[in-house]
Amino acid sequence: MMAESVGTAGAPETEMDTDRFSERAETGTDEAVLAQQLDEEYKIKRERLQKLEGEAAELRTELAQKDKEIAELRELLGLTPIAKLKRTVENSTIFQKTRELGDRVKSSESFQKTSSTLSAAGQATSAAVGTAASKTGEAFTKVGTSVKESPTWQGIGDRLRSASITVKEKLSSQRSYSESPQNHEAEESQSYANADDA
């Protein structure tokens, strides 16, 4: 037979119930231990991750510095892509033949004559353009002077001066009229007379 004991609620407990309770207690303890172990493993892995990320950042910085140094050295040694291309083109047979042809053309008598003719023509053209520009400037100056001295232009100037003087006189006479004390008395008496009439 199973041993019976009285539980907290007054119901009889069996040995089987006690075993279940102890299993639960052990399971709870095991879960707490397991949770603690997982937490410790997490912290260890997290620290390892941070350490590796730091090392990777240092390596990237070092690599960038080395890449910069490599680029500077290549440039100093003339090993840039453009320099390589230039050397390749200069060493090609087509470039060599083209250079030889150019040298022969430049040393030919016809090239020399054409070159001197074009140089003389360029100098003559420059002189002609300079002369034309100075003569055009002189012509504009003469036209401007003759227009200013013409009777029509003089008449317009006289009319503008006359109109300006007339406007100034009218403005000053209105100002002096409105500022005179006799004018104020006349205006006041006239306003009283108008008020009496009304």
Side-chain angles (χ1 to χ4, degrees), residues 28-45:
T29 305
D30 289 343
E31 286 178 5
V33 169
L34 182 63
Q36 187 178 5
Q37 288 174 349
L38 288 174
D39 191 37
E40 288 175 11
E41 285 181 30
Y42 178 81
K43 286 179 185 177
I44 292 169
K45 288 180 181 179

Side-chain angles (χ1 to χ4, degrees), residues 115-171:
S115 178
S116 63
T117 304
L118 289 175
S119 176
Q123 290 171 356
T125 303
S126 294
V129 168
T131 304
S134 69
K135 291 193 182 229
T136 304
E138 290 173 10
F140 277 122
T141 304
K142 286 180 183 177
V143 168
T145 305
S146 66
V147 166
K148 284 182 184 177
E149 294 173 355
S150 71
T152 305
W153 187 260
Q154 295 294 327
I156 292 171
D158 291 342
R159 287 186 194 125
L160 287 174
R161 278 190 288 282
S162 173
S164 172
I165 292 170
T166 304
V167 168
K168 286 180 184 176
E169 287 175 353
K170 285 188 178 184
L171 288 174

Side-chain angles (χ1 to χ4, degrees), residues 41-58:
E41 285 181 30
Y42 178 81
K43 286 179 185 177
I44 292 169
K45 288 180 181 179
R46 187 80 173 156
E47 289 171 2
R48 177 76 176 143
L49 175 65
Q50 289 174 346
K51 182 181 175 186
L52 289 174
E53 285 176 341
E55 290 173 0
E58 288 175 14

Side-chain angles (χ1 to χ4, degrees), residues 82-110:
I82 293 174
K84 286 179 184 178
L85 178 63
K86 184 179 177 184
R87 280 192 301 274
T88 304
V89 169
E90 287 175 350
N91 293 333
S92 70
T93 55
I94 294 173
F95 185 78
Q96 295 297 328
K97 288 181 180 181
T98 305
R99 183 184 289 169
E100 290 171 8
L101 178 63
D103 290 342
R104 278 189 280 159
V105 168
K106 284 181 184 177
S107 62
S108 71
E109 187 179 332
S110 58

